[in-house]
Amino acid sequence: MLIGTTAITLNSVFIAASVFFYCVIALSFVVCASEELRVKLSAGARQWVLWSVVLIPWLVALSVTTLVLKPNFVAAMPSWFRTLSHWHHINVFNLYSWHTLLVILFAGISLNAIVCHARQLFSHRSTLNNLLSLDALTKGENVSSTVIYALTAGLIKPKVFISPALRATLTDVENEIVARHEFAHQQRLDPLRKLCFSFLTAFYLPFIGKQLRREFSLCLELAADDYAAAGGFGGSSVASTVIKLCRLSRDQHHFASPLPCHFYASEIEARVHYQLRPERGRGFPLSLFAVLLTVLLASCLLSVDSYHHAVEAIFSH
């Protein structure tokens, strides 16, 4: 049995972890049920939705934990609210309770996410070094190469890599489209954004996390395609360039690191359909976002202590 500051800290982690996992489960159902609706959004709006999905659990968990542990806030609320949200033994933590299991689970998932993404960082660094060497080799005056690549790699200062063999194969318009597409990735720090987003999805079930990462990568490509099309080339020209590069790079080597943004290594059909769509996608559904956030905050805040005692009624505390 722990008492005092350590107990308060562990109880805080338990409250945050339990709220966090509740939000993750709830949002997993939302992700599965809203896939058709997300397809109708613009690339930018879909990115906002995806960021909301991975950030809301952290926001709600921190908010609820802070409010529950803030005596002045609880004291100012009506009695029924204090009954539902008050944590009765914040100064005491039993190491042999189910609280400890939840704290360990959250710590384990966090540690695993840190280790996995540290490995991704090393892999990306290796990929970047290989790209720099390959780029220097293919640009040598006396070296000819048939290697086709167009991608953006690097986190803080990303670099654009477009092979001379690819430039020689494309028309001037197609080269400009590819250059604008990769420039968009570079300016928006998309490899770094992919890393951050991937880390946040590590707290979801594997199949949900994989779906979120795939959709986020696609949205980055759609947004970069939009930037290329905005250069006066139009969606049809961008779509035809995407198809052409897909054909040219079919038998080419793909780098193992998931962080670089490849022009051709994403869902080609979805990108082509997006560029040829008859109308612009819908904007970010702000009202639905506000309702969802409010419901999650209210349900967590009002049940944070009651579900805890419900579990205790079943299992020995």
Side-chain angles (χ1 to χ4, degrees), residues 26-70:
L27 289 171
S28 294
F29 285 106
V30 172
V31 168
C32 294
S34 63
E35 186 171 2
E36 293 185 4
L37 295 176
R38 296 197 303 275
V39 172
K40 298 178 182 179
L41 301 176
S42 66
R46 287 173 71 178
Q47 287 186 58
W48 277 107
V49 169
L50 294 173
W51 277 115
S52 299
V53 168
V54 296
L55 288 174
I56 281 179
W58 297 93
L59 176 62
V60 175
L62 291 174
S63 299
V64 171
T65 304
T66 301
L67 293 176
V68 169
L69 298 177
K70 194 173 183 180

Side-chain angles (χ1 to χ4, degrees), residues 102-114:
L102 195 62
V103 170
I104 292 175
L105 176 62
F106 182 77
I109 294 175
S110 300
L111 180 61
N112 180 68
I114 292 171

Side-chain angles (χ1 to χ4, degrees), residues 19-280:
V19 170
F20 181 88
F21 286 131
Y22 167 79
C23 291
V24 164
I25 293 172
L27 289 171
S28 294
F29 285 106
V30 172
V31 168
C32 294
S34 63
E35 186 171 2
E36 293 185 4
L37 295 176
R38 296 197 303 275
V39 172
K40 298 178 182 179
L41 301 176
S42 66
R46 287 173 71 178
Q47 287 186 58
W48 277 107
V49 169
L50 294 173
W51 277 115
S52 299
V53 168
V54 296
L55 288 174
I56 281 179
W58 297 93
L59 176 62
V60 175
L62 291 174
S63 299
V64 171
T65 304
T66 301
L67 293 176
V68 169
L69 298 177
K70 194 173 183 180
N72 293 337
F73 170 79
V74 176
M77 293 294 105
S79 58
W80 64 268
F81 183 90
R82 293 197 299 271
T83 301
L84 291 173
S85 63
H86 175 62
W87 198 261
H88 296 289
H89 47 77
I90 195 66
N91 295 316
V92 178
F93 188 88
N94 188 349
L95 287 173
Y96 298 100
S97 69
W98 67 284
H99 295 186
T100 303
L101 294 177
L102 195 62
V103 170
I104 292 175
L105 176 62
F106 182 77
I109 294 175
S110 300
L111 180 61
N112 180 68
I114 292 171
V115 171
C116 289
H117 288 82
R119 290 177 177 174
Q120 280 194 22
L121 279 174
F122 287 116
S123 174
H124 185 73
R125 184 180 181 86
S126 176
T127 296
L128 181 59
N129 290 334
N130 291 336
L131 282 167
L132 290 169
S133 299
L134 179 62
D135 201 51
L137 178 65
T138 56
K139 288 180 179 179
E141 295 181 0
N142 300 319
V143 177
S144 59
S145 173
T146 59
V147 179
I148 300 293
Y149 57 86
L151 66 156
T152 303
L155 299 179
I156 305 302
K157 295 181 179 180
K159 299 180 182 297
V160 172
F161 299 91
I162 303 175
S163 67
L166 177 59
R167 293 184 185 275
T169 307
L170 301 179
T171 65
D172 291 342
V173 170
E174 290 168 343
N175 272 311
E176 185 64 23
I177 288 173
V178 172
R180 284 183 61 86
H181 176 100
E182 297 303 333
F183 178 77
H185 284 314
Q186 182 186 40
Q187 294 301 302
R188 296 166 182 170
L189 303 178
D190 282 348
L192 178 60
R193 294 167 69 195
K194 287 178 72 173
L195 176 66
C196 296
F197 187 85
S198 176
F199 177 82
L200 294 172
T201 61
F203 294 85
Y204 281 80
L205 289 173
F207 74 97
I208 295 292
K210 183 178 180 180
Q211 178 183 351
L212 291 171
R213 290 191 296 274
R214 176 189 58 79
E215 188 171 344
F216 185 73
S217 294
L218 174 60
C219 286
L220 294 181
E221 298 302 325
L222 295 179
D225 286 342
D226 275 346
Y227 183 82
F233 304 107
S236 59
S237 296
V238 173
S240 64
T241 303
V242 169
I243 294 173
K244 184 173 181 177
L245 257 75
C246 178
R247 185 175 66 253
L248 291 172
S249 62
R250 185 172 302 165
D251 299 323
Q252 295 291 322
H253 171 73
H254 292 261
F255 292 95
S257 175
L259 299 183
C261 297
H262 299 260
F263 188 95
Y264 49 81
S266 59
E267 300 177 45
I268 304 302
E269 184 178 356
R271 289 171 62 183
V272 170
H273 281 300
Y274 183 81
Q275 287 303 316
L276 298 179
R277 67 197 187 283
E279 58 183 16
R280 293 180 59 84

